[in-house]
Amino acid sequence: MISNEPTPNPPILEVMNIVKYFPIQKGLFKRTVGQIRAVDGVSLSLGKGETLGLVGESGCGKSTLARTIMGAYKPTSGEIHLRRENGGTTRIDQLNVKEMRRVRRNMQMIFQDPFSSLNPRLPVMEIIGEPLLVNKVAKGTDLEERVAELMKRVGLRPEYMRRYPHAFSGGQRQRIGIARALALNPQIIVADEAVSALDVSVQAQILNLLRELQDELHLSYLFIAHDLSVIEYICTHVAVMYLGKIVEVASRDELFSNPKHPYTEALLRAIPKLDPRKRGGHVALRGEVPDPAAPPPGCFFHTRCPYAKDICAEQRPELAPVSNDDDHQVACHFSEELNLQTG
């Protein structure tokens, strides 16, 4: 379960061929009649101080993957490795509840809805201080001082710590959520649509705060979003997900300038353009997202792909380097032939 043999410059988090299926049950005896393939063989790695963006349509499995990494779901198969400060690694997927509680001090989560993720019956002091109290890090005066320090760090006034969540705006509530995530000095923060529920101007403030905290505390982010403009602003690397699978992985600059998968092209061309002379190039994808309980044969995207050929319906492409570039990988039979557009 735990290895103490360090490797040179290893990733801080490594997800290896993770699968998460949910059973479909029917009848009085809850007989399993099928499986929803929410996450279907995903492999990712996150480096120290890096922000990996995970992007895709709603229902593609992004949040399920995040919750599986955090231990809220037990994976159907696959491995999740977390590198410890001493250079060894821990297999998160094999930990029991007690062991996982210790590991979670290094991994925290920021949720999409800044209101429902906060207990409305607790003041901010208890919301932010709860992780410190539960993990026996601080109590009494030390706890109050630590909460005040965290509030100032995220741009909130410490004198508001006795107030309840309903007294704050959406952006302020998200700052409370960020302060709670920082309480135990984690190495990794998983942000699941952390700004999608906020106004655009407030989004920018929260994104700038996250970047400042990353520089100051050397944090690593797994940043989940469906808005590519947000991904472009904050992420260093991007993974594109479709129907439970990763279809393209690249550095931010490479992906936005040189997409190699037709689904990535569709996402990029759907970004709103401020310049009216650049509008009108977007063509909506045809058809509907396939049922994850009964995905199509071959490439999952071929039913909507404008470039699909016979082989796409017969053989499933594997994620492979583009032109021998290990940093840019794509799952498409024709990635080397297509001349895809970005706008």
Side-chain angles (χ1 to χ4, degrees):
M1 185 192 309
I2 297 177
S3 168
N4 290 306
E5 296 182 5
T7 55
N9 301 319
I12 190 171
L13 177 71
E14 193 167 13
V15 177
M16 303 171 65
N17 200 31
I18 280 293
V19 172
K20 179 57 185 175
Y21 292 172
F22 293 98
I24 302 172
Q25 297 177 328
K26 290 185 178 181
L28 179 64
F29 299 102
K30 300 296 182 182
R31 184 169 58 90
T32 299
V33 296
Q35 301 279 351
I36 296 176
R37 303 165 70 162
V39 179
D40 197 4
V42 168
S43 296
L44 293 171
S45 63
L46 177 65
K48 181 71 174 177
E50 179 182 294
T51 302
L52 175 63
L54 188 60
V55 66
E57 293 172 285
S58 296
C60 71
K62 304 186 302 295
S63 294
T64 300
L65 176 61
R67 283 161 171 75
T68 303
I69 291 172
M70 292 297 296
Y73 296 145
K74 198 73 174 176
T76 304
S77 64
E79 301 178 5
I80 305 172
H81 295 258
L82 176 67
R83 181 164 59 90
R84 304 192 306 278
E85 292 183 356
N86 65 3
T89 59
T90 299
R91 279 278 303 273
I92 296 177
D93 56 285
Q94 293 185 345
L95 301 182
N96 58 35
V97 174
K98 186 177 180 180
E99 292 170 329
M100 193 65 202
R101 181 177 294 178
R102 292 197 298 266
V103 168
R104 280 208 185 98
R105 295 185 60 168
N106 292 323
M107 300 172 62
Q108 293 292 311
M109 195 163 185
I110 303 171
F111 298 92
Q112 177 177 358
D113 188 340
F115 189 75
S116 64
S117 64
L118 304 178
N119 190 333
R121 298 181 180 181
L122 296 181
V124 170
M125 165 72 185
E126 294 185 35
I127 290 173
I128 298 176
E130 186 175 22
L132 297 166
L133 200 59
V134 169
N135 287 276
K136 300 179 181 180
V137 175
K139 63 180 180 178
T141 304
D142 290 341
L143 178 64
E144 189 167 334
E145 290 176 354
R146 175 64 175 154
V147 170
E149 178 188 340
L150 287 165
M151 291 185 71
K152 285 190 285 188
R153 176 164 277 172
V154 299
L156 294 172
R157 298 174 66 175
E159 54 264 35
Y160 293 161
M161 69 171 64
R162 306 296 176 188
R163 295 185 179 183
Y164 289 81
H166 72 267
F168 296 88
S169 67
Q172 289 174 324
R173 286 195 289 264
Q174 196 60 289
R175 289 174 187 267
I176 294 170
I178 294 171
R180 179 178 59 184
L182 293 175
L184 296 173
N185 298 315
Q187 297 174 283
I188 299 170
I189 289 182
V190 177
D192 187 5
E193 301 278 7
V195 298
S196 63
L198 306 175
D199 293 338
V200 175
S201 60
V202 180
Q203 284 186 12
Q205 295 171 19
I206 297 299
L207 291 173
N208 287 333
L209 172 63
L210 290 173
R211 292 180 67 170
E212 291 169 7
L213 291 170
Q214 184 176 42
D215 292 340
E216 181 182 348
L217 303 174
H218 309 292
L219 297 168
S220 301
Y221 293 141
L222 175 59
F223 196 92
I224 299 169
H226 62 267
D227 187 339
L228 273 171
S229 59
V230 170
I231 291 290
E232 184 178 19
Y233 181 73
I234 196 170
C235 296
T236 53
H237 291 77
V238 185
V240 181
M241 196 168 183
Y242 183 79
L243 207 65
K245 284 188 168 294
I246 300 297
V247 297
E248 187 165 8
V249 182
S251 67
R252 175 194 57 199
D253 295 340
E254 175 69 10
L255 185 118
F256 277 83
S257 63
N258 186 31
K260 289 296 184 180
H261 196 283
Y263 181 59
T264 308
E265 178 193 45
L267 293 178
L268 291 173
R269 298 187 70 181
I271 299 175
K273 304 296 189 299
L274 295 178
D275 188 343
R277 293 171 295 180
K278 297 181 180 179
R279 296 176 188 166
H282 170 57
V283 178
L285 289 174
R286 65 188 184 189
E288 300 291 335
V289 179
D291 182 358
C299 175
F300 286 177
F301 188 61
H302 86 266
T303 57
R304 306 175 71 195
C305 180
Y307 310 105
K309 297 181 181 179
D310 291 343
I311 190 176
C312 300
E314 299 168 358
Q315 297 182 19
R316 184 173 301 170
E318 298 296 329
L319 199 65
V322 176
S323 300
N324 297 319
D325 180 2
D326 290 336
D327 290 333
H328 191 171
Q329 300 182 43
V330 63
C332 178
H333 292 298
F334 304 104
S335 60
E336 301 286 359
E337 303 172 19
L338 297 177
N339 182 23
L340 304 180
Q341 305 299 312
T342 59

